[in-house]
Amino acid sequence: MAELAACEPFYAAPSGGTTAASYAQQAHAPSGFHEYTLVAKRDAGRDSKLLTFALPATMPTLGASVISGVKVKQAVAGEELDKSYSPTSPAERPETFDLLVKAYAPRKGGGLGAWLCALEPGQNASMKVKGAKKIANGAPLARNRFRRIGMLAGGTGVAPFMHLVATLLADPEDATLLDLVVSHREPQDALLDAELAALAAASAGRLRVHHTFSRVAEPAAPPAAARSTGGTVFASTGAGRIDDALARAMLPSPSEDDVFILVCGTDGFVGDMAGPIERVYDAAGKKTKSLQGVLRAGEPSYPAI
């Protein structure tokens, strides 16, 4: 793992810390597609890059809210492609923003990630800033909207959670407790693990991180069931897929007040974690919903999200 000091620019709070501006799209975010210049890139995991793009003088920050992002558009091999990405940098970081991109093998309808990863500093990519994503009962995320947030990420699905975590931890007025479980195939696939460790180390115990590897057979101690206290850093790894036991150990219980669970990854990953929503009606016609994946109703019991 890299020295934490190398990650300081990533998680360091913007001057003055995060403000309420992070929770809504800003007026300086332009509409439509514009060119953004790549200024730096580095490895972020197997076949993955962390790409840093410069902001024009007219944009003090990217202006994308938590959780939102950008859409990239480019002709690749004669095919017009577009794909959405979530910035991993704090919402109010000035001058630049970061995108986590995986160079998936080219295929019909794909190849944009490989094109982005092949860019060199000084080259441009056409992007537009997307509007605020409504995730919390039809509204964008707000400061202290939830007491605890649990996150399940598959691969590059960690990107929007990096955006969320970096922004909330930089907000001096936010006290949300954050639990993040990231699923990978092998340790070489772990994305931005040094940055996540740095965020946990700087969080005074507010952030717990657990990496799990589906193609690692060696047994590993499960994460502690209870949240550490006293500012103890929680960052652990284990073998196997995300299952009920890991969900119980790492995620807040729905019996607690003001909790929210987020899932991000491929369709298959989201299906495994959340599954289909089952709708049940009682004799009075009142409808209840429950999830049928790892977050299914029962023990542990998680509400539909």
Side-chain angles (χ1 to χ4, degrees):
M1 181 176 290
E3 292 293 328
L4 298 187
C7 307
E8 185 175 354
F10 176 87
Y11 68 84
S15 177
T18 298
T19 73
S22 289
Y23 303 101
Q25 188 174 22
Q26 296 303 291
H28 62 252
S31 61
F33 285 89
H34 298 269
E35 297 293 316
Y36 295 86
T37 302
L38 182 70
V39 294
K41 72 175 184 179
R42 65 174 177 79
D43 292 336
R46 184 157 55 185
D47 300 324
S48 300
K49 301 289 184 184
L50 188 70
L51 306 177
T52 301
F53 290 90
L55 293 169
T58 55
M59 294 175 64
T61 68
L62 182 63
S65 65
V66 178
I67 305 174
S68 186
V70 299
K71 177 172 284 189
V72 182
K73 181 175 66 175
Q74 176 65 33
V76 178
E79 190 175 6
E80 190 76 20
L81 301 178
D82 64 69
K83 186 173 182 180
S84 295
Y85 291 93
S86 295
T88 57
S89 42
E92 292 186 71
R93 193 172 80 182
E95 300 181 354
T96 63
F97 65 96
D98 295 334
L99 297 182
L100 175 63
V101 180
K102 191 172 183 67
Y104 291 104
R107 64 193 186 283
K108 184 175 176 57
L112 187 54
W115 179 85
L116 281 167
C117 288
L119 287 177
E120 294 297 335
Q123 294 182 301
N124 295 338
S126 179
M127 309 182 204
K128 73 173 181 180
V129 179
K130 300 180 68 175
K133 187 177 290 294
K134 297 180 179 181
I135 62 171
N137 296 323
L141 187 66
R143 172 185 287 152
N144 289 316
R145 172 64 181 82
F146 300 98
R147 187 175 60 83
R148 291 183 67 180
I149 294 178
M151 296 158 279
L152 295 172
T156 54
V158 73
F161 298 149
M162 294 287 284
H163 189 206
L164 183 152
V165 166
T167 301
L168 294 189
L169 291 180
D171 187 344
E173 297 185 32
D174 189 90
T176 310
L177 299 178
L178 304 161
D179 297 285
L180 172 61
V181 183
V182 192
S183 176
H184 319 277
R185 292 179 179 178
E186 298 174 310
Q188 302 95 306
D189 297 309
L191 301 172
L192 300 176
D193 56 344
E195 283 82 357
L196 284 169
L199 284 165
S203 74
R206 286 177 57 198
L207 172 64
R208 301 196 309 172
V209 179
H210 182 79
H211 298 274
T212 186
F213 306 104
S214 60
R215 294 184 180 176
V216 173
E218 292 82 2
R227 172 175 288 279
S228 299
T229 58
T232 302
V233 174
F234 189 105
S236 61
T237 60
R241 298 180 181 275
I242 299 174
D243 58 12
D244 293 357
L246 182 55
R248 284 195 296 271
M250 283 296 299
L251 300 180
S253 167
S255 62
E256 300 179 39
D257 294 331
D258 300 329
V259 302
F260 195 55
I261 309 295
L262 292 163
V263 181
C264 186
T266 64
D267 291 346
F269 178 82
V270 174
D272 288 343
M273 296 301 103
I277 294 177
E278 183 180 68
R279 294 167 174 81
V280 178
Y281 297 85
D282 62 18
K286 183 178 179 180
K287 178 178 67 176
T288 58
K289 296 190 294 184
S290 64
L291 300 178
Q292 301 305 301
V294 168
L295 302 179
R296 66 186 178 277
E299 190 57 48
S301 175
Y302 293 95
I305 56 177

